[in-house]
Structures are given as C-alpha cells and as structure tokens.
Amino acid sequence: MQVFKFGGASVKDAKGVKNLVNVLNKTGYKNTLVVVSAMGKTTNALEKVIANYFDNKGELQSSLQEVIKFHNGILLDLFDNEQHAVYKKITALFNELTAFMDRNKSPDYNFVYDQVIGYGELVSTTIVSEYLNDVGLKNQWLDVRDFIKTDNYYRSAHVDWEASQERIATQFNRTQLNITQGFLGSDANNFTTTLGREGSDYTAAIFAYCLNAQSVTIWKDVPGVLNADPRYFENAHLLNKISYREAIELAFYGASVIHPKTLQPLQRKEIPLFVKSFLQPENKGTMVSKEAGLDPQIPCFIVKKNQVLISLSSLDFSYIVEDNISEIFKLLHLYKMKVDVIQNSAISFSVCVDNMYKNLEKLLQHLKAKFKVTCTENVSLYTIRHYNELAIKQLEKDKEVLLKQLTHETMQIVTK
C-alpha cells in the first residue's frame, strides 16, 4: 500500500484536480489510498459561515452561497454534462449542511464547528472521486468517519486507535484505488470530529500505520520540506533528508509542512514519509525516515504569528515556585491554551501561547486574582533550529525582542 495526501492548494480549482490525475498517472496508483483536503480556502470560508451562524445571521446565507458558488464553478469546469450524478451529490451535501444549521440546538461552538467544517472535505473528495472515475481511474469513495473513530474533544479530537485499527482492518479494500477525506473522524455517537488544523497529514499517517503501508507521500506546492517558510524568509533551501526526530522537533516548533502528530505513528513502524511537489512529481522532494540527522546541515527558521505573550510576577515579591507554576499550568490547560515558550526567574514567569479557543480574557481574569499580569497580543514567535551567530543576527535585525531563549540546538525569540 501507498498513501498519498493532497492538500487544499493541490485541488484549489479544476486545473488542480486535473493535475492530480497527472500525478497519479506518473507515479502509479495501484494499491493506493488518496487522502484529499478541502479545496483551496474552503476551510477559511466555512469558518466565516460558522462565525455568521453564531454572530451575524443576516450574512449567513450569503457566506454559505459563496462556498456553494465556488464549488459549482469547479464542477462546471470539470463536468460538461450538468445532468452528471456529481451535481446531485454535491447539492445533497450542501442541503445536509443547511439542514444541520436549521435544526441544531447546541450552543457549543466547537461542536458546531466540526459538524460544519467537515463538508469542505466531503465535497472535495466527492468531486475528485467522480472526476477520476470519468477519466478512467476507477476508484472507491470512502467516508473516513466510518474508519477513524475518536473521542468528542471537538476541533482537536484524539484517535481511538483500537477501534480505528479494527475498522480499517476489516472494512478497507486494499486492492483498489480509494479516495477519502483528511482531517475528519467521528465520535461514539457518530458526530463528526476534526483532528486539528492541518490534520489531513495525520489522517494519511493513521491509515498508513493501520495498513502497514510502504510509504506516505504528502503532495504540496513546494519542492519538499524547506529550511524556512518562503512567505516570511528569503532564500529558503530544500532539505533532502530529515530524521524522524528532527522532523518532530521542527513540527513541534511550528513548521507548517508536517503536522506534529503525523510523524509519531509513522516512526513506530518506520514508514518513510515523502514531501513532494505536485507540480514536479518526478522530483525526489524530501524524505523523512529513521536515518539520522539533517541533509544539508543548515539553520532552520520557523515563525508563528498572532501569538500572545503573558508575563506574570508575584504580587508580594515571593518566589514563583512549584505550587504557583502548577496552578498556572492548570489554568492554561483549563482554558485550552497551547504553550509554545516558557521562561521563569525567581519572581516572574513568562509564557507565549496560542489563543486558538478564544479564552484569553477568562484566563487573564483568573490569573489577576493572584499575580501581577502583563499581556501582549499579536506577537510573533521565531525559532531557529541549529542556529549560528549569523542566523541570530539576521533574525533579530529591526525587531523589538520581548523574550529570548537559547538551548544547545534551538533559539527562540518573541517579537512585536
């Protein structure tokens, strides 16, 4: 078995879907599972639909129509015959989505988010599957929610490995080309769950682990894993080979090419991961495997935008020690804050967090009961793996550094 994952950029329009066919024809698709994300910026567009559902009902229909219109445009470019069965299938999916929003009574944002957002993947895979069948690549469309079971921690669900393994082992047909959705699973009540942003990579790894796949390939609009995001850094270089350990370190610090949870199941079974360009499928790209080190051995730059820096100090100049730190972490866990950097001294404690769940105000109110609190929003967190003096100098140039931390292999700074 080989597992391919195509992200939103690879199927952002009809040309992208046609190129997916080109990639499959060039690489071969025997005994292959293709995992596909939502098309283009659909996830962002559906997040706008969700926001309007809760806060601006007057704009709800127009934001939903934008999503429908976008996909209808792709359908018209791919299928000349408007009587093609795919049109009815896509209409049925959007009718399902509308029906959910009409009947839903739950005020839980995270639950609603997962029920709505998943339609991006359901629609994209339906279109891709139908188009592949039309051009002679016969395939089976699978609903990933029948295979990957999770808990009900909506928006960042945890996989029930035992249940998922059992379903994949007994219900998955290895002998054909299969198409399924990334990012999604389902809980014990069969409600849709999601595996976190960029979770489609993780989906590919879950299937690879359960199927004992030969390899996983993530097809992207970059030549492979780069030592820096070219959107923010000049002169990014391709990394030819990375060890699992190094890739996990890069992912932990926020490198966007590989999802943090993706590598762990692959490492356990030593399944190599390839990151390749869907524009140049014949190129080697990057291989992540058990082989040691980094090739070439150069500094790697990572940036996380829109972070929050919280600095605490004791009101009475007493030490911030184990009991205080324990309480701080309980609160960070309670309010679902992802911690990226920690720094503390005798009477102060600083933490850089990601406020994904929008609980910052509640957290700050809780902290102010016991600490003097300073909060700086919209900061950037920069990380350099395998730093040198030149890399540090280049990164700090023209920036106001609020926090700086160095270990043997990694430097991190928080800037305004």
Side-chain angles (χ1 to χ4, degrees):
M1 285 293 301
Q2 61 180 350
V3 181
F4 285 174
K5 179 261 176 171
F6 289 89
S10 66
V11 288
K12 66 182 179 181
D13 51 24
K15 184 180 175 184
V17 176
K18 291 174 182 177
N19 185 63
L20 186 152
V21 174
N22 175 55
V23 172
L24 292 179
N25 281 325
K26 281 189 174 180
T27 58
Y29 51 86
K30 187 180 179 184
N31 302 340
T32 299
L33 169 65
V34 177
V35 175
V36 183
S37 300
M39 292 175 148
K41 300 294 184 184
T42 298
T43 299
N44 292 339
L46 285 171
E47 285 178 341
K48 188 175 177 183
V49 171
I50 296 162
N52 288 335
Y53 174 79
F54 280 101
D55 302 321
N56 190 2
K57 284 285 201 284
E59 294 294 321
L60 177 59
Q61 276 308 311
S62 65
S63 58
L64 180 57
Q65 285 305 315
E66 283 294 314
V67 178
I68 295 171
K69 181 181 172 185
F70 169 72
H71 288 92
N72 280 342
I74 294 173
L75 284 174
L76 290 167
D77 287 339
L78 291 173
F79 303 93
D80 295 333
N81 177 12
E82 291 187 43
Q83 302 306 309
H84 194 291
V86 70
Y87 286 90
K88 281 188 178 178
K89 290 182 178 181
I90 299 305
T91 299
L93 285 168
F94 282 121
N95 286 344
E96 262 183 40
L97 171 55
T98 303
F100 166 77
M101 291 190 290
D102 287 344
R103 71 173 185 270
N104 173 61
K105 298 291 189 291
S106 173
D108 181 351
Y109 176 89
N110 299 318
F111 169 76
V112 172
Y113 182 99
D114 278 9
Q115 307 323 300
V116 172
I117 213 77
Y119 281 92
E121 278 71 19
L122 294 169
V123 169
S124 71
T125 51
T126 301
I127 293 172
V128 169
S129 174
E130 292 287 332
Y131 184 72
L132 292 181
N133 277 326
D134 258 24
V135 297
L137 277 66
K138 298 304 176 188
N139 69 90
Q140 181 66 40
W141 183 91
L142 303 176
D143 189 331
V144 74
R145 297 170 297 181
D146 294 335
F147 294 89
I148 295 181
K149 301 303 289 185
T150 72
D151 62 10
N152 62 357
Y153 196 104
Y154 297 110
R155 293 183 69 198
S156 194
H158 304 100
V159 174
D160 181 335
W161 283 94
E162 190 175 333
S164 301
Q165 175 90 64
E166 193 273 331
R167 284 167 178 256
I168 291 170
T170 58
Q171 299 175 33
F172 188 92
N173 183 349
R174 296 163 175 265
T175 64
Q176 61 191 8
L177 174 61
N178 291 287
I179 310 293
T180 197
Q181 307 78 39
F183 185 47
L184 309 180
S186 66
D187 64 16
N189 294 314
N190 291 323
F191 286 115
T192 304
T193 57
T194 61
L195 306 176
R197 289 300 293 264
E198 311 303 329
S200 294
D201 294 358
Y202 188 34
T203 304
I206 294 165
F207 274 101
Y209 179 90
C210 294
L211 293 165
N212 293 313
Q214 181 182 350
S215 65
V216 173
T217 304
I218 297 173
W219 296 97
K220 298 186 74 71
D221 56 355
V222 291
V225 179
L226 305 177
N227 76 320
D229 187 330
R231 293 174 298 176
Y232 305 115
F233 300 94
E234 294 178 2
N235 304 318
H237 296 278
L238 176 68
L239 301 172
N240 302 314
K241 293 180 182 178
I242 317 175
S243 66
Y244 290 121
R245 179 185 177 278
E246 186 60 44
I248 287 169
E249 290 279 4
L250 291 170
F252 173 79
Y253 290 113
S256 60
V257 177
I258 304 172
H259 189 276
K261 294 178 288 190
T262 299
L263 296 158
Q264 291 155 351
L266 299 180
Q267 183 183 28
R268 285 203 292 273
K269 290 194 175 178
E270 296 185 353
I271 298 168
L273 169 72
F274 295 92
V275 181
K276 296 186 178 185
S277 166
F278 58 73
L279 300 172
Q280 297 168 308
E282 63 283 353
N283 289 1
K284 287 186 176 180
T286 302
M287 181 173 77
V288 184
S289 68
K290 66 177 180 178
E291 292 179 26
L294 189 67
D295 173 25
Q297 185 77 31
I298 53 176
C300 296
F301 299 84
I302 302 154
V303 61
K304 286 185 177 181
K305 302 279 189 178
N306 304 315
Q307 304 293 291
V308 180
L309 181 63
I310 302 170
S311 298
L312 311 174
S313 56
S314 52
L315 293 169
D316 58 0
F317 289 96
S318 60
Y319 291 146
I320 293 186
V321 287
E322 291 84 353
D323 56 344
N324 307 107
I325 292 171
S326 173
E327 184 176 349
I328 293 165
F329 272 97
K330 280 181 184 173
L331 292 174
L332 290 168
H333 176 71
L334 175 66
Y335 292 113
K336 298 181 178 178
M337 293 289 176
K338 184 181 180 304
V339 175
D340 291 314
V341 181
I342 304 158
Q343 191 174 83
N344 68 292
S345 68
I347 58 171
S348 69
F349 182 95
S350 294
V351 60
C352 187
V353 298
D354 190 332
N355 182 31
M356 185 175 85
Y357 286 90
K358 310 299 181 192
N359 288 327
L360 180 62
E361 286 307 314
K362 293 177 189 173
L363 172 65
L364 294 178
Q365 288 304 316
H366 217 137
L367 289 170
K368 284 174 182 175
K370 191 162 183 181
F371 302 98
K372 181 182 175 184
V373 180
T374 305
C375 176
T376 310
E377 296 185 58
N378 298 316
V379 299
S380 295
L381 168 63
Y382 290 90
T383 303
I384 311 177
R385 285 280 294 166
H386 310 292
Y387 62 88
N388 55 37
E389 286 303 318
L390 178 61
I392 294 173
K393 196 174 290 185
Q394 287 175 336
L395 188 60
E396 291 184 347
K397 187 181 178 184
D398 302 325
K399 293 183 179 71
E400 180 187 347
V401 178
L402 304 176
L403 181 149
K404 183 174 181 177
Q405 191 157 274
L406 285 86
T407 64
H408 176 60
E409 293 183 314
T410 306
M411 187 208 80
Q412 292 186 286
I413 61 170
V414 178
T415 71
K416 284 278 278 182

